[in-house]
Amino acid sequence: MTHFSDYSQKRFAILVLIVSISGFSQGMLLPLISIIFERDGVSSALNGLNATGLYIGTLLISPFIEQPLRKWGYKPIILIGGALVFASLLAFPLWKSVTFWFVLRLLIGVGDHALHFATQTWITSTSDHKSLGKGMAIYGLSFSTGFAVGPLMVKLIQISEVLPFIVSSIMCLFAWSFVFLLQNEKPERLTGDLHARGWQRYKMAIVFGWIAFLGPFVYGFLESSLNALFPVYALRKDFDVNMIPIILSVFTFGGILTQVLLGAIGDKVGRRNVLMVGSFGGSIIFGIASFLEHSQMAVAIAFFFTGTLVGSMFSLGITYMADLTPKELLPTGNLLCGIALSIGSLTGPFLGGVYLEYVKNYSLLLLVAMLLLAVAIVLLVFGRNKNKRPVTM
């Protein structure tokens, strides 16, 4: 980051850096706090409930974030969100309490959502549409990489329980400081009814881009349900404990491996086609894997190849939304993508838990396969006439 030939490249690089550190802190917090609570004898139910704080924070701030972004611009929202995440991370060592840590996670959810909402909207609003898919793929790749590296910080608790929080907060402060180098910009101004009525914007954005919200929803569902419930299911199937994190990691690695490639392909052949083929392919692979659970290696291979197909559904969903939505409504569309992600993240563990509780004779992977198949069918049936961004409102 020593030299940038063009300001837009400099802006994009800084936004990507911020998102990677955000992913890093999120990836660290999930296993770190779970392990600390487990060592302290906190019940698994309370442990899991505490983890929802981040997603609840995201949903709480969602209805109130768009107007400040339109009024103040991207830069102030990123600065406020980053400062909230940094301060919350630094506050964890002050008082070890389930309630206090839940509030801090909720505040991190608020800050992270403000940060992601502003950066996503900034990129989708200013990027060349022909290369938007590749740009958002790099954006998604940076978050995924940070999220994958974050759990490695858990080892630092062997030195000191507070050390991971301090290191993570310092990294957030480092990335946050680069935002001051950017010039503030604002989204496209609203006109007519869209300017007067907030609900009208949501309604219009949903009408134009509802099908694109399936990508973030499914990504959130997969990420949360597989990480939260597959270990439980695998242990019931007598999987080797050491093999479970490997299986989950190869799913993430598969998504990282193909993130930019699928984004570039989406620029060429259309985001809908990539999402549809990926969903259908992932459904087939997980369906086959449900009959191969006697082989842990076969399941790991299935997770890897499914990850390569569906690991970029979030970034593809955002770019598909940008294809379908008028530019004036991109902030609203990005906001709804974030809400869809949070709803998927919250419903994944719940529906998956109900499935494990009451469906004893069928694999958990079949639930995921059915969801992916349903998404592929919806994209096939309803996405045919939604390949071009409408020119008029």
Side-chain angles (χ1 to χ4, degrees), residues 15-79:
L15 296 180
V16 164
L17 173 64
I18 293 168
V19 170
S20 66
I21 299 301
S22 172
F24 173 84
S25 62
Q26 287 189 37
M28 180 201 74
L29 278 179
L30 286 169
L32 175 65
I33 295 180
S34 294
I35 290 173
I36 291 175
F37 280 164
E38 180 67 22
R39 295 199 317 187
D40 291 348
V42 176
S43 71
S44 57
L46 191 57
N47 199 334
L49 181 63
N50 193 274
T52 65
L54 189 143
Y55 306 115
I56 294 174
T58 296
L59 289 175
L60 286 177
I61 194 61
S62 292
F64 309 104
I65 193 66
E66 184 183 356
Q67 280 304 107
L69 178 75
R70 292 187 180 277
K71 182 178 180 180
W72 300 332
Y74 304 111
K75 182 176 176 179
I77 300 300
I78 294 175
L79 288 173

Side-chain angles (χ1 to χ4, degrees), residues 14-284:
I14 291 175
L15 296 180
V16 164
L17 173 64
I18 293 168
V19 170
S20 66
I21 299 301
S22 172
F24 173 84
S25 62
Q26 287 189 37
M28 180 201 74
L29 278 179
L30 286 169
L32 175 65
I33 295 180
S34 294
I35 290 173
I36 291 175
F37 280 164
E38 180 67 22
R39 295 199 317 187
D40 291 348
V42 176
S43 71
S44 57
L46 191 57
N47 199 334
L49 181 63
N50 193 274
T52 65
L54 189 143
Y55 306 115
I56 294 174
T58 296
L59 289 175
L60 286 177
I61 194 61
S62 292
F64 309 104
I65 193 66
E66 184 183 356
Q67 280 304 107
L69 178 75
R70 292 187 180 277
K71 182 178 180 180
W72 300 332
Y74 304 111
K75 182 176 176 179
I77 300 300
I78 294 175
L79 288 173
I80 293 171
L84 196 56
V85 172
F86 160 71
S88 299
L89 285 170
L90 203 58
F92 272 98
L94 298 180
W95 183 26
K96 186 194 287 188
S97 161
V98 173
T99 303
F100 181 60
W101 281 17
F102 176 82
V103 172
L104 291 180
R105 285 176 125 172
L106 190 147
L107 291 175
I108 288 177
V110 171
D112 265 330
H113 186 59
L115 187 153
H116 284 286
F117 173 53
T119 52
Q120 286 169 201
T121 307
W122 206 345
I123 292 174
T124 53
S125 299
T126 57
S127 296
D128 181 357
H129 201 69
K130 293 180 179 179
S131 59
L132 178 59
K134 184 178 180 181
M136 284 306 301
I138 295 173
Y139 175 94
L141 174 64
S142 66
F143 179 83
S144 298
T145 303
F147 194 89
V149 173
L152 299 177
M153 296 292 290
V154 173
K155 295 181 180 180
L156 292 180
I157 61 175
Q158 297 174 358
I159 302 174
S160 171
E161 202 171 80
V162 304
L163 188 57
F165 298 109
I166 294 174
V167 172
S168 181
S169 62
I170 291 173
M171 294 181 69
C172 284
L173 179 62
F174 170 77
W176 179 76
S177 63
F178 280 92
V179 183
F180 289 98
L181 301 176
L182 300 179
Q183 302 169 11
N184 189 30
E185 299 176 44
K186 295 182 179 181
E188 293 280 329
R189 295 186 63 182
L190 295 168
T191 57
D193 289 342
L194 291 179
H195 180 75
R197 291 177 291 189
W199 171 243
Q200 186 72 7
R201 292 197 302 275
Y202 291 99
K203 182 179 178 181
M204 295 289 285
I206 291 171
V207 168
F208 283 127
W210 68 268
I211 197 168
F213 303 148
L214 292 174
F217 172 81
V218 171
Y219 182 85
F221 188 100
L222 291 177
E223 183 184 63
S224 62
S225 61
L226 291 180
N227 280 286
L229 295 174
F230 180 75
V232 176
Y233 176 77
L235 288 174
R236 293 179 181 178
K237 290 288 185 178
D238 297 323
F239 275 44
D240 183 354
V241 175
N242 296 321
M243 191 66 181
I244 296 173
I246 294 175
I247 293 173
L248 294 175
S249 295
V250 297
F251 180 83
T252 303
F253 179 70
I256 291 173
L257 200 63
T258 59
Q259 186 96 217
V260 175
L261 175 62
L262 291 180
I265 293 174
D267 286 331
K268 300 293 184 182
V269 304
R271 253 68 76 169
R272 169 199 171 235
N273 295 327
V274 178
L275 284 166
M276 184 170 59
V277 172
S279 299
F280 184 72
S283 173
I284 294 297

Side-chain angles (χ1 to χ4, degrees), residues 209-216 218 270-281 309-310 313 316-317 320-321 324 371-387:
W210 68 268
I211 197 168
F213 303 148
L214 292 174
V218 171
R271 253 68 76 169
R272 169 199 171 235
N273 295 327
V274 178
L275 284 166
M276 184 170 59
V277 172
S279 299
F280 184 72
L309 294 173
V310 304
M313 291 193 80
L316 282 170
Y320 189 25
M321 178 277 301
L324 305 175
L371 173 66
L372 291 173
L373 180 60
V375 170
I377 292 173
V378 171
L379 286 164
L380 175 65
V381 175
F382 297 100
R384 291 176 178 174
N385 298 322
K386 286 182 170 288
N387 287 323

